[in-house]
Amino acid sequence: MSEFEKSEWAEAEHAKEFMENANIYILERKRLFSILRSFYRYFLKDHELEGQMKVLDLGCGDGALALELLKEDNQINATLVDGSSKMLENARKNLKNYEGMNFIHKTFQDLLEDQLNGKDQVLDSFNLVVSSLAIHHISTEEKKSLFRYIHNHLTLGGFFLNIETVKAPEDELESWYRVLWGEWIRENQENMDSLTNFEYLPEQYKNNPDNHPDTLNTQLNALESIGFQQVDCYYKYGIFAIFGGKK
């Protein structure tokens, strides 16, 4: 049994709960999406490219990132990868009205192993690789391998953008960031008249053995060591960050 199959994300009920309530408890989720769209408009949309815009979404969930990008450009060709069959099923439903959508049922470990064995199913090169709240589930060394995988699958001048939770450099900051997250959840629940209380999630996140966040600096340094350019953190609010780079 793989590490993914042992995790809560292999459970259909957990995937369903996330899809139904993510907007309530993911800190500034709508803001994160708006920054993604701005990034796409500024760096990719108005630039002349040969052929169709190609996007790779790693840990795609229900296809939320692809849907946000399709608001900007409905001609995008997207390849969506996820280890959860339930998530992929919902991504297919959400994207059924768009052409050029490809779906691959693979974990990150599957992708890395396939590439190592010369059996990589992801054969295209992409103008943009995106991921959201997925890569923190793998180890530091696996992250480095995945960043290298991403670099290998980008076109020259292509971008990687990761919406992710990161570990604070100091425990005291980490503790406050969880408090900050809880305060935001409380305020957001009141604004959305949520009948369910999710204020327990910051502590659950801390104690969840499926989570392996690294510091922002560790991951930025890893990207630079692989050869990414313009590496930076584009946005940060507590443990939630957007970072990436250019090939």
Side-chain angles (χ1 to χ4, degrees), residues 192-211:
M192 298 179 70
D193 295 324
S194 173
L195 299 178
T196 306
N197 190 330
F198 293 101
E199 291 176 47
Y200 65 89
L201 279 174
E203 284 302 311
Q204 184 187 73
Y205 167 86
K206 171 194 172 186
N207 297 317
N208 189 336
D210 293 338
N211 295 331

Side-chain angles (χ1 to χ4, degrees), residues 4 7 9 18 26 57-62 65 81-84 87 106-109 111 130-139 142-143 146-147 150 160-166 205 210-213 219 240-241 243:
F4 181 87
S7 76
W9 290 102
F18 177 85
I26 292 179
D57 186 350
L58 295 173
C60 67
D62 61 357
L65 290 192
V81 182
D82 204 285
S84 165
M87 286 293 195
K106 294 276 186 180
T107 66
F108 294 152
Q109 289 88 350
L111 293 179
V130 295
S131 187
S132 177
L133 303 178
I135 296 176
H136 72 272
H137 294 301
I138 60 178
S139 69
E142 287 173 325
K143 288 185 184 76
L146 186 65
F147 292 161
I150 290 167
F160 169 49
L161 186 145
N162 189 21
I163 299 173
E164 190 52 286
T165 55
V166 297
Y205 167 86
D210 293 338
N211 295 331
H212 306 282
Q219 295 178 84
F240 289 81
F243 63 92

